[in-house]
Amino acid sequence: RFLAWIAWLFLVTSAARPQWLGEPVPVEVKGRDLMLALDTSGSMKIDDFVISRQAVSRMVAVRRVAEEFIANRCNDRQGLIFFGTNAYLVSPPSFDCAAVSELMRNAEIGLAGTNTAIGDAILMAQKHLTGKDNKPGEKVLILITEGASNAGSVSPVQAAKLAAKAKIKIYTIGVGSEIKQPSLWDMAVMQNSELDEETLKAIAQQTGGLYFRARDMDELKK
């Protein structure tokens, strides 16, 4: 009986035709090097977006859409920058999309100051998209803001010129609706932070990217 079981085992193994094909070959994951730069300045507090019939702030709306965007692009190396008065690296580019999405979920207004340093955010992205650890490939910055640049060490257009030389493509997104009758609180928050679409268009054009306006959730998702 023992020999019969051994014979049966060899018969099944032979029928399965196992083959040794050599050492495992690692598969290189390819994709873009992608940075998201999010404006966390004071006017992101304005409640001019709607989710499920509830008014929400620009920050809540952007977080919601950006988390989904990050989760759907796990084949890209993604990084995250928050900027306000200063620009801060939150996460360098990596394939850990779950971690980047979690960091985006934790974005809060005022984390980087109350002003808007768009030029510094571009320079920060360039530094981490062109460092010694980065491989050749398409490099993209998505810059999301609701105001005009009023802080930082370099102008947005000058920073865009440097990014263009480094072959970084920048897509700019201006968020926020035109509030026809703003409250006194909204007027105080919006002071000196009106969206500068001309500069955002110039940044995108300089680097071969595009500018988009997001007045509501549908436009932001698109």
PDB file of all heavy atoms in Angstrom, residues 135-149:
ATOM      1  N   LYS A 135      14.982  58.777 -11.274  1.00  0.00           N
ATOM      2  CA  LYS A 135      15.353  58.197 -12.551  1.00  0.00           C
ATOM      3  C   LYS A 135      14.739  59.007 -13.679  1.00  0.00           C
ATOM      4  O   LYS A 135      13.776  59.734 -13.484  1.00  0.00           O
ATOM      5  CB  LYS A 135      14.879  56.742 -12.614  1.00  0.00           C
ATOM      6  CG  LYS A 135      15.514  55.844 -11.559  1.00  0.00           C
ATOM      7  CD  LYS A 135      14.976  54.432 -11.664  1.00  0.00           C
ATOM      8  CE  LYS A 135      15.611  53.547 -10.592  1.00  0.00           C
ATOM      9  NZ  LYS A 135      15.086  52.153 -10.661  1.00  0.00           N
ATOM     10  N   PRO A 136      15.297  58.864 -14.908  1.00  0.00           N
ATOM     11  CA  PRO A 136      14.703  59.569 -16.046  1.00  0.00           C
ATOM     12  C   PRO A 136      13.254  59.144 -16.246  1.00  0.00           C
ATOM     13  O   PRO A 136      12.877  58.003 -16.012  1.00  0.00           O
ATOM     14  CB  PRO A 136      15.582  59.112 -17.219  1.00  0.00           C
ATOM     15  CG  PRO A 136      16.865  58.674 -16.598  1.00  0.00           C
ATOM     16  CD  PRO A 136      16.496  58.095 -15.262  1.00  0.00           C
ATOM     17  N   GLY A 137      12.444  60.058 -16.702  1.00  0.00           N
ATOM     18  CA  GLY A 137      11.030  59.764 -16.934  1.00  0.00           C
ATOM     19  C   GLY A 137      10.221  61.038 -16.837  1.00  0.00           C
ATOM     20  O   GLY A 137      10.748  62.117 -16.555  1.00  0.00           O
ATOM     21  N   GLU A 138       8.923  60.923 -17.078  1.00  0.00           N
ATOM     22  CA  GLU A 138       8.054  62.090 -17.046  1.00  0.00           C
ATOM     23  C   GLU A 138       7.869  62.587 -15.620  1.00  0.00           C
ATOM     24  O   GLU A 138       7.560  61.811 -14.715  1.00  0.00           O
ATOM     25  CB  GLU A 138       6.691  61.749 -17.644  1.00  0.00           C
ATOM     26  CG  GLU A 138       5.807  62.973 -17.813  1.00  0.00           C
ATOM     27  CD  GLU A 138       4.524  62.655 -18.566  1.00  0.00           C
ATOM     28  OE1 GLU A 138       4.313  61.481 -18.897  1.00  0.00           O
ATOM     29  OE2 GLU A 138       3.752  63.589 -18.805  1.00  0.00           O
ATOM     30  N   LYS A 139       8.059  63.887 -15.441  1.00  0.00           N
ATOM     31  CA  LYS A 139       7.959  64.505 -14.120  1.00  0.00           C
ATOM     32  C   LYS A 139       6.860  65.566 -14.157  1.00  0.00           C
ATOM     33  O   LYS A 139       6.880  66.454 -15.011  1.00  0.00           O
ATOM     34  CB  LYS A 139       9.297  65.111 -13.719  1.00  0.00           C
ATOM     35  CG  LYS A 139      10.425  64.076 -13.723  1.00  0.00           C
ATOM     36  CD  LYS A 139      11.738  64.655 -13.274  1.00  0.00           C
ATOM     37  CE  LYS A 139      12.865  63.646 -13.448  1.00  0.00           C
ATOM     38  NZ  LYS A 139      12.625  62.380 -12.750  1.00  0.00           N
ATOM     39  N   VAL A 140       5.927  65.449 -13.225  1.00  0.00           N
ATOM     40  CA  VAL A 140       4.719  66.278 -13.259  1.00  0.00           C
ATOM     41  C   VAL A 140       4.457  66.871 -11.879  1.00  0.00           C
ATOM     42  O   VAL A 140       4.600  66.191 -10.863  1.00  0.00           O
ATOM     43  CB  VAL A 140       3.492  65.437 -13.691  1.00  0.00           C
ATOM     44  CG1 VAL A 140       2.221  66.268 -13.605  1.00  0.00           C
ATOM     45  CG2 VAL A 140       3.683  64.895 -15.092  1.00  0.00           C
ATOM     46  N   LEU A 141       4.083  68.147 -11.868  1.00  0.00           N
ATOM     47  CA  LEU A 141       3.616  68.812 -10.656  1.00  0.00           C
ATOM     48  C   LEU A 141       2.176  69.254 -10.872  1.00  0.00           C
ATOM     49  O   LEU A 141       1.866  69.905 -11.870  1.00  0.00           O
ATOM     50  CB  LEU A 141       4.499  70.029 -10.334  1.00  0.00           C
ATOM     51  CG  LEU A 141       3.946  70.986  -9.260  1.00  0.00           C
ATOM     52  CD1 LEU A 141       3.811  70.288  -7.908  1.00  0.00           C
ATOM     53  CD2 LEU A 141       4.827  72.232  -9.150  1.00  0.00           C
ATOM     54  N   ILE A 142       1.303  68.888  -9.940  1.00  0.00           N
ATOM     55  CA  ILE A 142      -0.075  69.392  -9.930  1.00  0.00           C
ATOM     56  C   ILE A 142      -0.183  70.373  -8.778  1.00  0.00           C
ATOM     57  O   ILE A 142      -0.037  69.994  -7.614  1.00  0.00           O
ATOM     58  CB  ILE A 142      -1.085  68.250  -9.763  1.00  0.00           C
ATOM     59  CG1 ILE A 142      -0.980  67.274 -10.931  1.00  0.00           C
ATOM     60  CG2 ILE A 142      -2.505  68.802  -9.659  1.00  0.00           C
ATOM     61  CD1 ILE A 142      -1.872  66.064 -10.802  1.00  0.00           C
ATOM     62  N   LEU A 143      -0.389  71.628  -9.094  1.00  0.00           N
ATOM     63  CA  LEU A 143      -0.409  72.699  -8.093  1.00  0.00           C
ATOM     64  C   LEU A 143      -1.835  73.199  -7.918  1.00  0.00           C
ATOM     65  O   LEU A 143      -2.463  73.656  -8.876  1.00  0.00           O
ATOM     66  CB  LEU A 143       0.524  73.825  -8.510  1.00  0.00           C
ATOM     67  CG  LEU A 143       0.760  74.918  -7.467  1.00  0.00           C
ATOM     68  CD1 LEU A 143       2.207  75.383  -7.484  1.00  0.00           C
ATOM     69  CD2 LEU A 143      -0.162  76.113  -7.685  1.00  0.00           C
ATOM     70  N   ILE A 144      -2.355  73.093  -6.697  1.00  0.00           N
ATOM     71  CA  ILE A 144      -3.744  73.443  -6.394  1.00  0.00           C
ATOM     72  C   ILE A 144      -3.755  74.649  -5.467  1.00  0.00           C
ATOM     73  O   ILE A 144      -3.195  74.603  -4.369  1.00  0.00           O
ATOM     74  CB  ILE A 144      -4.471  72.263  -5.721  1.00  0.00           C
ATOM     75  CG1 ILE A 144      -4.338  71.000  -6.568  1.00  0.00           C
ATOM     76  CG2 ILE A 144      -5.942  72.597  -5.482  1.00  0.00           C
ATOM     77  CD1 ILE A 144      -4.779  69.740  -5.861  1.00  0.00           C
ATOM     78  N   THR A 145      -4.384  75.730  -5.910  1.00  0.00           N
ATOM     79  CA  THR A 145      -4.406  76.955  -5.101  1.00  0.00           C
ATOM     80  C   THR A 145      -5.721  77.694  -5.294  1.00  0.00           C
ATOM     81  O   THR A 145      -6.448  77.449  -6.262  1.00  0.00           O
ATOM     82  CB  THR A 145      -3.231  77.878  -5.472  1.00  0.00           C
ATOM     83  OG1 THR A 145      -3.222  79.027  -4.605  1.00  0.00           O
ATOM     84  CG2 THR A 145      -3.329  78.351  -6.910  1.00  0.00           C
ATOM     85  N   GLU A 146      -6.020  78.595  -4.362  1.00  0.00           N
ATOM     86  CA  GLU A 146      -7.234  79.398  -4.469  1.00  0.00           C
ATOM     87  C   GLU A 146      -6.928  80.888  -4.434  1.00  0.00           C
ATOM     88  O   GLU A 146      -7.832  81.699  -4.326  1.00  0.00           O
ATOM     89  CB  GLU A 146      -8.202  79.051  -3.323  1.00  0.00           C
ATOM     90  CG  GLU A 146      -7.561  78.899  -1.957  1.00  0.00           C
ATOM     91  CD  GLU A 146      -6.852  80.126  -1.460  1.00  0.00           C
ATOM     92  OE1 GLU A 146      -7.462  81.199  -1.417  1.00  0.00           O
ATOM     93  OE2 GLU A 146      -5.652  80.016  -1.139  1.00  0.00           O
ATOM     94  N   GLY A 147      -5.643  81.252  -4.488  1.00  0.00           N
ATOM     95  CA  GLY A 147      -5.307  82.665  -4.347  1.00  0.00           C
ATOM     96  C   GLY A 147      -4.146  83.094  -5.219  1.00  0.00           C
ATOM     97  O   GLY A 147      -3.663  82.353  -6.077  1.00  0.00           O
ATOM     98  N   ALA A 148      -3.707  84.310  -4.983  1.00  0.00           N
ATOM     99  CA  ALA A 148      -2.561  84.873  -5.682  1.00  0.00           C
ATOM    100  C   ALA A 148      -1.327  84.747  -4.813  1.00  0.00           C
ATOM    101  O   ALA A 148      -1.408  84.750  -3.587  1.00  0.00           O
ATOM    102  CB  ALA A 148      -2.834  86.339  -6.015  1.00  0.00           C
ATOM    103  N   SER A 149      -0.178  84.620  -5.451  1.00  0.00           N
ATOM    104  CA  SER A 149       1.068  84.510  -4.706  1.00  0.00           C
ATOM    105  C   SER A 149       1.381  85.831  -4.008  1.00  0.00           C
ATOM    106  O   SER A 149       1.438  86.879  -4.643  1.00  0.00           O
ATOM    107  CB  SER A 149       2.213  84.142  -5.659  1.00  0.00           C
ATOM    108  OG  SER A 149       3.407  83.914  -4.944  1.00  0.00           O
TER     109      SER A 149
END
